[in-house]
Amino acid sequence: MNKVALVTGGARGIGRAICLELAQSGYNVVINYLTSSQEAKELQKQIEDEYHVRCLTYKCDVSSTKEVDEMIAFVEKEFKGVDVLVNNAAIDLSNMFHLKNVEDFKRTLEVNVIGAYNVSLRVYKYMLEQKWGRIINIGSTNGINTYYPMCLEYDASKAALNSLTHNLAIQFAPYINVNCIAPGFIGTEKELEGYDEEFLKQEEEKILVGRNGDPKEVAHLVKFLASDEASFINNSIIRIDGGQYGSN
C-alpha cells in the first residue's frame, strides 16, 4: 500500500517540487494550498497522469485549528492517515523596517510556526499508532545565521521552527522522526522576483558552488528523509545552501 504524504503549501515553488518527487516515488499525495487553486489543480492532474498515484487537493489556512481539523478529517476519510508530513507552508512579508507592523509579524508567526504546529498536532497520533512516521519542516538558513532586517519576522519564524523541530522530535520519539531542512537561496519564481541583477549576483558570490539551488534539490532531500534509509536521522536541522556564507 502506498504511503500518504501531505505537503502544506504544496502548489508552487519548493512545495510543488516536493509533491512531484514524492509522487514519482510512489506516494499518494495531498496538496494543501490557500490561494493557489489553479496551480494545485494543474499539479494534481500532472501527478495523476504521469505517476498514476492518488492525488488530492485541499484548501486550508494552516494557522486555523478548525480548518486543519477539517483537512485532516478529509484526509483520514480518503486514506487512513498521514505517513509523511511536510510542513512547507510559509509567508514572507518583507518590507523596510520603518514600514513594518505588528499585524504582519503576528501573521508570519501564525502561518510559519503555529501552522506547522497545528498540522503536526493533528497527524501525529496516527503515526504513533502505526509506530512509524516522518515530519519534515521546511525552514531556512534565515533561521540560523543569514539575516536580512527587511525580513526579520520571517527570520524569527524560521528560528522558532528550528526549536519546534527539536521539541517535537523529543516528544514523538522513538517512532516519529522529526527533522528540518534549511534551504538557502533556492531559485523559485517567488525567490527571484523583485530582485535586481546586481543583488542576485552578490548573493550567488556568497555560495561556494557558485549558483542558486534548484527546488528539485530540496525535494530530493525530502524524499531521502522520508525513506527508511534515513531512519537514523532525527532531531536535525539540515542546511542545503551550496555552502552559503557571509550573508549577515
Side-chain angles (χ1 to χ4, degrees):
M1 180 179 295
N2 294 5
K3 286 186 171 67
V4 176
L6 167 60
V7 182
T8 68
R12 299 180 60 194
I14 291 174
R16 180 180 186 277
I18 292 169
C19 288
L20 288 169
E21 185 73 21
L22 294 178
Q24 186 177 20
S25 300
Y27 289 83
N28 292 323
V29 176
V30 181
I31 305 166
N32 158 257
Y33 69 94
L34 182 58
T35 60
S36 303
S37 175
Q38 185 61 35
E39 292 91 338
K41 291 177 181 178
E42 291 173 357
L43 180 57
Q44 178 187 32
K45 185 177 187 306
Q46 180 180 353
I47 286 174
E48 291 175 338
D49 289 347
E50 293 184 12
Y51 303 120
H52 309 292
V53 295
R54 291 192 65 192
C55 182
L56 307 175
T57 64
Y58 198 94
K59 180 180 179 179
C60 166
D61 180 348
V62 294
S63 71
S64 166
T65 302
K66 179 178 181 294
E67 291 188 27
V68 168
D69 283 344
E70 292 171 349
M71 176 175 68
I72 302 304
F74 167 77
V75 174
E76 290 173 338
K77 182 179 178 181
E78 297 294 325
F79 307 107
K80 288 184 177 180
V82 174
D83 301 290
V84 176
L85 168 63
V86 183
N87 284 312
N88 174 70
I91 59 172
D92 178 4
L93 304 177
S94 297
N95 208 341
M96 299 300 292
F97 184 84
H98 67 280
L99 297 176
K100 290 184 177 296
N101 57 71
V102 172
E103 288 71 26
D104 284 352
F105 206 124
K106 287 181 178 178
R107 180 59 181 162
T108 301
L109 294 177
E110 286 171 355
V111 175
N112 298 6
V113 185
I114 295 175
Y117 167 77
N118 277 344
V119 187
S120 299
L121 188 67
R122 189 60 177 78
V123 304
Y124 85 93
K125 291 182 181 178
Y126 172 78
M127 295 180 181
L128 287 184
E129 288 172 1
Q130 67 176 2
K131 297 184 177 180
W132 194 97
R134 299 284 189 269
I135 296 176
I136 303 168
N137 297 320
I138 305 299
S140 172
T141 54
N142 287 46
I144 304 173
N145 63 357
T146 303
Y147 307 117
Y148 296 100
M150 285 186 63
C151 53
L152 63 86
E153 58 272 82
Y154 177 83
D155 295 2
S157 74
K158 293 303 184 177
L161 191 62
N162 291 344
S163 179
L164 180 68
T165 298
H166 294 312
N167 280 291
L168 292 184
I170 294 168
Q171 179 65 42
F172 297 156
Y175 300 118
I176 304 173
N177 287 23
V178 186
N179 293 292
C180 183
I181 295 173
F185 208 102
I186 307 298
T188 63
E189 291 181 6
K190 183 178 180 181
E191 185 77 1
L192 296 177
E193 67 186 13
Y195 295 121
D196 59 40
E197 291 185 10
E198 182 61 26
F199 175 82
L200 294 176
K201 183 176 182 294
Q202 291 174 357
E203 290 304 301
E204 285 184 3
E205 290 174 351
K206 300 172 185 176
I207 301 171
L208 294 180
V209 301
R211 63 173 176 83
N212 297 328
D214 189 297
K216 292 180 181 178
E217 294 174 301
V218 179
H220 294 328
L221 181 53
V222 170
K223 180 180 69 173
F224 175 65
L225 290 177
S227 72
D228 289 332
E229 285 79 5
S231 61
F232 204 56
I233 301 176
N234 195 14
N235 195 26
S236 295
I237 312 298
I238 304 172
R239 298 178 67 127
I240 178 167
D241 61 2
Q244 181 176 322
Y245 71 97
S247 294
N248 56 323

